[in-house]
Amino acid sequence: MTPAKEAYVALVTCFNDDETINYAATRRQVQRQIAAGNNLLCCGTNGDFSALTFEEKVQLTGEVVAEAGGKVKVIVNAGMPATFETLKLAKAFDALGVDGIAVITPFFIACTQDGLIRHFSTIADGVEAPVYLYDIPARTQNHIEPATARALAAHGNIKGIKDSGGAKETLEAYLQVGHDVPGFDVYSGPDHLVHWALANGARGCISGLGNVMPDVLAAIITAYNRGDEAAASAAQEKYTALRTDLYKLGYPPAMVKRALWVMDHSVGASRQPAMVKRALWVMDHSVGASRQPALLPNDAQDQAIAAILKQHGLLA
């Protein structure tokens, strides 16, 4: 029996004004995704993983796993430049009972394909949880060639790949590996290719935009699983339209985080008209800004984001 398609949301990490992690607010983001029926990827690109310390990643993942409570699956990105630290992180995550460990390609260190095979195989050898390759060459400058993915798919504990490269021909090549190797699942990263990827054999998607539109992402998956191509296509069009408008403004993960910030503050203002109550609501709920030197708050940009959110029915 062919397994049902599934969606993961690359969960944002929430911060306080002093840039410490806001665990309460992050748990509330987990609750939003549970309500929609989406699984979770913790400490990914949209989760500011490169700005988090080792200890913070472990604590954050523990909080997410606890909040998820088995209602949805949780995988976590352990990827770091060196195999040594990646394995150390992966083992710490494994002890938390995660459903899988994603490993982004090493960054800063230029790798040969043989080096990537050794890197990923070492991690997969060292943990019980299934390992998923994570290819995003625009950010890491290291790319998992389809032939390398095929070689790694033969490892008993490497169960799939997330493709965030954005090149359809590469995704097609990974999908061929998934077709040829039983138990090797392919997940699409680009938000505009969710429906296309499902129709062409992907197991599912791992999406950053799902932070902003969790219900629409879930609708694509649900419609596809029940065989309603028209509804899946309509939901994809809605999803792609927001992606097109929002990502025109800047770096996608920063725009996702900022869109949530604008939504947080709008909801906080509407639910809590008293200034003190509003401040307390925002402190407990808001995703906050990203750690520096990432995007700084900008009134003009926030207004542009608010206009887009209103256009797409996400803001009153």
Side-chain angles (χ1 to χ4, degrees):
M1 183 177 177
T2 303
K5 309 295 185 179
E6 58 186 5
Y8 285 81
V9 170
L11 190 73
V12 295
T13 300
C14 304
F15 293 106
N16 297 303
D17 288 344
D18 64 357
E19 298 192 1
T20 56
I21 296 178
N22 186 334
Y23 293 105
T26 302
R27 281 176 172 263
R28 293 189 185 279
Q29 292 299 322
V30 172
Q31 293 168 9
R32 288 179 68 235
Q33 299 304 331
I34 291 173
N38 297 320
N39 299 303
L40 301 165
L41 168 68
C42 186
C43 296
T45 305
N46 279 269
D48 289 287
F49 85 94
S50 61
L52 303 177
T53 68
F54 185 105
E55 292 76 16
E56 285 174 331
K57 290 175 185 175
V58 176
Q59 182 176 348
L60 176 66
T61 301
E63 297 258 352
V64 171
V65 169
E67 192 64 38
K71 296 173 185 175
V72 297
K73 290 188 282 189
V74 178
I75 61 177
V76 56
N77 168 42
M80 291 298 289
T83 306
F84 181 87
E85 185 173 10
T86 302
L87 180 58
K88 188 177 179 182
L89 256 178
K91 287 182 174 180
F93 293 148
D94 202 22
L96 295 172
V98 296
D99 296 285
I101 297 171
V103 182
I104 199 168
T105 47
F107 43 98
F108 192 79
I109 299 172
C111 298
T112 63
Q113 294 301 298
D114 179 65
L116 291 177
I117 289 173
R118 286 185 282 107
H119 177 74
F120 290 116
S121 297
T122 299
I123 309 310
D125 287 342
V127 295
E128 295 293 327
V131 169
Y132 296 89
L133 314 176
Y134 181 175
D135 191 63
I136 183 168
R139 300 297 162 199
T140 67
Q141 307 306 309
N142 284 310
H143 170 53
I144 303 169
E145 297 289 347
T148 300
R150 184 176 292 276
L152 288 165
H155 189 291
N157 198 34
I158 294 179
K159 300 299 185 180
I161 187 168
K162 178 195 177 185
D163 171 40
S164 290
K168 191 178 283 189
E169 60 270 22
T170 300
L171 178 53
E172 287 173 333
Y174 290 154
L175 287 167
Q176 187 61 51
V177 176
H179 178 269
D180 296 342
V181 182
F184 185 79
D185 294 326
V186 178
Y187 293 86
S188 174
D191 300 310
H192 64 296
L193 293 178
V194 176
H195 185 208
W196 181 92
L198 299 180
N200 284 275
R203 176 67 195 283
C205 68
I206 302 176
S207 170
L209 192 65
N211 286 286
V212 184
M213 266 188 169
D215 293 333
V216 177
L217 175 61
I220 300 172
I221 304 296
T222 301
Y224 187 87
N225 280 333
R226 69 169 183 260
D228 191 342
E229 287 287 345
S233 179
Q236 178 66 74
E237 286 181 14
K238 189 173 183 180
Y239 206 57
T240 300
L242 175 63
R243 173 193 183 274
T244 300
D245 292 340
L246 185 62
Y247 292 179
K248 282 179 182 176
L249 300 181
Y251 177 49
M255 292 303 105
V256 165
K257 188 80 172 284
R258 205 61 193 165
L260 285 173
W261 186 92
V262 171
M263 292 165 71
D264 288 339
H265 286 68
S266 173
V267 172
S270 63
R271 289 185 180 173
Q272 304 285 2
M275 292 302 292
V276 172
K277 289 183 178 180
R278 177 173 178 265
L280 291 172
W281 190 95
V282 168
M283 180 176 66
D284 190 37
H285 289 66
S286 178
V287 296
S290 294
R291 279 184 173 163
Q292 293 309 301
L295 180 75
L296 281 171
N298 178 294
D299 287 343
Q301 183 169 258
D302 288 348
Q303 290 171 12
I305 291 172
I308 289 169
L309 294 173
K310 288 177 183 176
Q311 178 186 340
H312 291 271
L314 296 167
L315 206 60

